[in-house]
């Protein structure tokens, strides 16, 4: 049986108890977890299991594997106290939803052909994604993109996430749904405000666009 992906049920839970299903060296599998494993453009969560630092979380098939900083002080069958680094995770949630809002704003400002060139990555400091650009990036238009994203945030739009079979969706009011397996806030208002900047150029025909939280 796989690990229950509890972070989808309630992304705001940051402290929980779980049963240890397996231990292999510093790798631990729980019966269910609120720790997000790296994937879908979102970095893994950090925190502690039984007071030991969680330094990596990854998915292998149906299992979510937490890597600890040191050998576990517990064994299979133990019930352990788990804690996420909530400030970090909440920033990731806000930035991940911002990255989706950025996508709609980019499409509106630069046209439909301005699509992500590859899956981006959201961590606790920024969300970065490479977009396809045939022409030179117009920085004034990028400022309009930033304004549009901040307007959507300030509009306090509800954010919905749900599963359909194996697929996971994200949707914000007024826009069509998109595929996403990440963790997100319930409302854009929680994001506060963001800055949108041009990053290091990733290669010909592409521009890296970065989103950071303004506070
Ligand atoms: Zn996403």
């Amino acid at each position: 049986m796989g690990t229950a992906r509890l972070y989808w049920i309630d992304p705001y839970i940051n402290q929980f108890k779980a049963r240890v299903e397996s231990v292999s060296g510093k790798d631990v599998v729980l019966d269910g977890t609120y720790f997000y494993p790296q994937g879908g453009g979102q970095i893994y969560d950090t925190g502690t299991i039984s007071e030991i630092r969680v330094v990596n979380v990854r998915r292998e098939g149906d299992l979510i594997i937490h890597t600890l900083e040191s050998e576990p002080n517990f064994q299979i069958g133990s019930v352990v106290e788990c804690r996420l680094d909530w400030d970090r995770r909440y920033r990731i949630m806000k930035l991940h939803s911002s990255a989706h809002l950025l996508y709609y704003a980019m499409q509106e400002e630069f046209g439909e052909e301005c699509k992500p060139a590859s899956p981006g990555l959201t961590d606790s400091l920024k969300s970065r994604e490479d977009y396809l650009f045939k022409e030179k990036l117009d920085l004034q238009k990028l400022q309009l993109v930033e304004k549009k994203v901040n307007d959507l945030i300030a509009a306090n739009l509800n954010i919905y996430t749900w599963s359909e079979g194996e697929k996971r969706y994200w949707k914000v009011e007024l826009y069509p749904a998109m595929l996403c397996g990440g963790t997100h806030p319930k409302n854009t208002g929680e994001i506060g405000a963001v800055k949108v900047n041009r990053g290091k150029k990733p290669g010909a025909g592409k521009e890296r666009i970065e989103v950071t939280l303004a506070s």
Side-chain angles (χ1 to χ4, degrees):
M1 215 184 69
T3 312
R5 296 187 225 176
L6 303 173
Y7 48 81
W8 279 345
I9 295 168
D10 188 344
Y12 291 87
I13 300 250
N14 52 65
Q15 212 178 323
F16 63 101
K17 282 188 167 70
R19 214 180 80 94
V20 178
E21 295 281 310
S22 78
V23 175
S24 168
K26 294 174 186 172
D27 284 352
V28 175
V29 175
L30 305 171
D31 57 348
T33 190
Y34 289 90
F35 280 93
Y36 185 80
Q38 178 134 0
Q42 184 176 322
I43 197 166
Y44 58 84
D45 283 327
T46 57
T48 57
I49 295 178
S50 189
E51 309 280 327
I52 305 171
R53 294 293 307 162
V54 173
V55 294
N56 186 275
V57 188
R58 67 184 194 274
R59 233 186 88 189
E60 274 182 22
D62 280 351
L63 298 179
I64 294 170
I65 299 164
H66 312 74
T67 303
L68 305 182
E69 196 175 53
S70 57
E71 299 277 332
N73 54 4
F74 50 80
Q75 40 202 296
I76 296 173
S78 300
V79 173
V80 286
E81 188 71 46
C82 309
R83 222 177 278 254
L84 266 67
D85 291 330
W86 176 245
D87 286 353
R88 178 181 178 278
R89 153 68 102 70
Y90 194 38
R91 288 176 67 87
I92 294 169
M93 282 162 60
K94 294 179 196 177
L95 281 166
H96 194 155
S97 276
S98 303
H100 290 200
L101 298 176
L102 174 77
Y103 166 79
Y104 297 122
M106 291 289 286
Q107 293 257 298
E108 284 173 16
E109 211 50 55
F110 293 104
E112 274 181 24
E113 66 282 0
C114 183
K115 288 190 167 75
S118 51
L121 181 66
T122 298
D123 62 25
S124 61
L125 298 178
K126 69 182 169 207
S127 177
R128 61 171 162 80
E129 193 149 41
D130 297 342
Y131 279 83
L132 295 171
F133 270 87
K134 284 202 183 98
E135 287 156 32
K136 199 166 162 278
L137 174 63
D138 180 338
L139 290 171
Q140 274 183 334
K141 274 194 177 179
L142 194 62
Q143 286 194 335
L144 294 177
V145 166
E146 179 182 272
K147 190 185 178 304
K148 205 161 267 181
V149 172
N150 280 313
D151 286 349
L152 291 172
I153 288 169
N156 291 314
L157 303 175
N158 286 320
I159 294 170
Y160 306 95
T161 55
W162 69 95
S163 298
E164 276 177 31
E166 288 292 293
K167 290 188 170 138
R168 185 92 190 151
Y169 291 89
W170 177 96
K171 185 184 179 348
V172 68
E173 277 177 278
L174 312 176
Y175 288 92
M178 62 167 85
L179 285 166
C180 181
T183 55
H184 294 276
K186 286 193 172 87
N187 189 283
T188 60
E190 291 179 41
I191 298 168
V194 297
K195 290 190 196 308
V196 174
N197 283 300
R198 176 193 211 174
K200 192 169 171 278
K201 196 165 167 69
K206 290 181 222 171
E207 291 286 351
R208 180 161 298 169
I209 311 296
E210 298 181 342
V211 184
T212 52
L213 297 175
S215 55

